Amino acid sequence: FGVALRKIHRMKAPGLIEAMRLRAAFDPEYCGAPSTWSSGEGFDELSELGRDAQFLHLEERQRGELDASEREMRRQVEAWHRVDKPGLALPASNDALERRLRERALTVAWVTDRDHVRTLLTARAWLLAELPTWSAKTTFVEVSWLRRAIAWLVRFGKHRVDRVLDSHFGDVAVDRRARRNLRRACTAGDPTITAFAAAGDSLPAGTDWQAEARARMQRIWLNQHEVTRDLCAVRAVQSLTVLDVRNYRELVFQLGDYASDGEDAAVAQALP
């Protein structure tokens, strides 16, 4: 049955791994991180993601990307817990369950940068902290010729990074070297710079980014059902893929009559 398991995993594991990867990018609790901040929950030593990886008997090489996703999720949740929550001016919620769902919705919005809330709230501090690095003579961002060619073909007028800097951060001194490196990083697909440019493009010039972030967070807080619906869908898909693998194992165990050879049926029936 061990040989049969390896064959089953070759067929079925890719779908489950993709579902795990999707959920790990969206669901803090799946990565062992708390989705609320007022209930005093901590980080789990072994996450659901880790148990699913054990269920599939994934090797260390196969777990690399999933482990990286878990570390990034935990890092983002830790950063979110450091944010001044009273400063967000969130509406009061007296119902314990409703407050928990709203806190979870905001946590998910932060880690996924939904509506650019994380980028808008932290952009100025990030820009001021990173400018010395982008301005350094030792900093040079490599960009493939293909990406440069595509960026040149689709660009009209000023580069989007320059537009955002000039429209929203005119009070910040950004020298030519830093601008060039930021442009190149955006062209190369750096997720932080890309999110920075996308957030700036979505706002009128002169908008207070932090005030806009607070307003968007308040809307998410009041309309938590949108995030809850998406989270439930992701969890359902991932759970069904786990059951699909388990059911396939059990079916093969029965068809192969492995019990008559003294094999343990619990191996086929196990769940994470």
Side-chain angles (χ1 to χ4, degrees):
F1 188 62
V3 175
L5 273 181
R6 290 195 293 272
K7 295 183 182 297
I8 292 169
H9 290 170
R10 289 194 192 102
M11 293 185 291
K12 293 291 186 178
L16 175 52
I17 291 173
E18 188 59 35
M20 292 164 61
R21 185 182 296 116
L22 175 63
R23 189 176 172 191
F26 194 84
D27 188 350
E29 294 175 23
Y30 188 55
C31 295
S35 60
T36 63
W37 61 85
S38 63
S39 57
E41 296 176 347
F43 289 80
D44 296 334
E45 185 174 347
L46 178 61
S47 65
E48 289 183 57
L49 175 61
R51 289 196 291 271
D52 284 347
Q54 292 177 355
F55 171 70
L56 283 176
H57 305 290
L58 294 181
E59 299 175 357
E60 186 174 349
R61 174 182 55 81
Q62 297 172 303
R63 291 186 56 166
E65 185 177 349
L66 294 173
D67 288 343
S69 296
E70 180 175 310
R71 289 193 297 271
E72 175 62 15
M73 175 63 76
R74 287 173 175 249
R75 187 183 70 82
Q76 290 292 356
V77 171
E78 288 174 349
W80 170 236
H81 284 183
R82 292 194 293 269
V83 172
D84 176 29
K85 303 302 187 301
L88 299 177
L90 299 172
S93 179
N94 296 323
D95 183 85
L97 177 59
E98 185 67 23
R99 180 176 182 83
R100 181 178 180 84
L101 293 176
R102 288 176 173 178
E103 288 188 6
R104 186 179 69 180
L106 265 192
T107 301
V108 172
W110 175 272
V111 299
T112 60
D113 203 18
R114 186 185 183 98
D115 293 337
H116 303 299
V117 292
R118 187 179 73 233
T119 297
L120 291 172
L121 194 66
T122 62
R124 177 171 290 274
W126 167 83
L127 182 61
L128 294 174
E130 294 295 323
L131 265 182
T133 301
W134 296 112
S135 301
K137 293 182 178 180
T138 55
T139 301
F140 181 79
V141 180
E142 294 285 351
V143 186
S144 69
W145 67 268
L146 180 60
R147 283 185 175 272
R148 290 200 304 269
I150 294 174
W152 183 82
L153 288 172
V154 302
R155 194 178 79 192
F156 297 95
K158 187 184 293 187
H159 194 283
R160 62 191 309 205
V161 169
D162 289 323
R163 286 201 307 270
V164 173
L165 290 174
D166 294 338
S167 299
H168 300 282
F169 297 93
D171 59 322
V172 179
V174 185
D175 60 32
R176 291 177 60 187
R177 185 185 298 275
R179 283 177 177 264
R180 182 186 64 197
N181 282 325
L182 286 168
R183 288 195 299 267
R184 293 175 68 88
C186 185
T187 301
D190 182 284
T192 302
I193 310 300
T194 302
F196 173 78
D201 277 344
S202 68
L203 297 173
T207 301
D208 184 333
W209 283 35
Q210 292 195 338
E212 180 64 22
R214 289 192 292 271
R216 294 185 182 188
M217 286 184 175
Q218 289 164 10
R219 287 197 295 271
I220 293 171
W221 175 268
L222 293 174
N223 298 283
Q224 56 82 17
H225 59 275
E226 296 179 0
V227 176
T228 299
R229 178 197 60 210
D230 294 343
L231 183 60
C232 289
V234 170
R235 287 178 172 179
V237 169
Q238 188 269 333
S239 297
L240 287 172
T241 54
V242 172
L243 287 174
D244 181 48
V245 173
R246 197 285 303 270
N247 292 342
Y248 207 83
R249 285 178 174 182
E250 190 171 13
L251 179 61
V252 170
F253 189 89
Q254 293 172 2
L255 291 175
D257 194 22
Y258 290 101
S260 63
D261 295 331
E263 301 250 22
D264 186 3
V267 177
Q269 298 168 353
L271 281 170

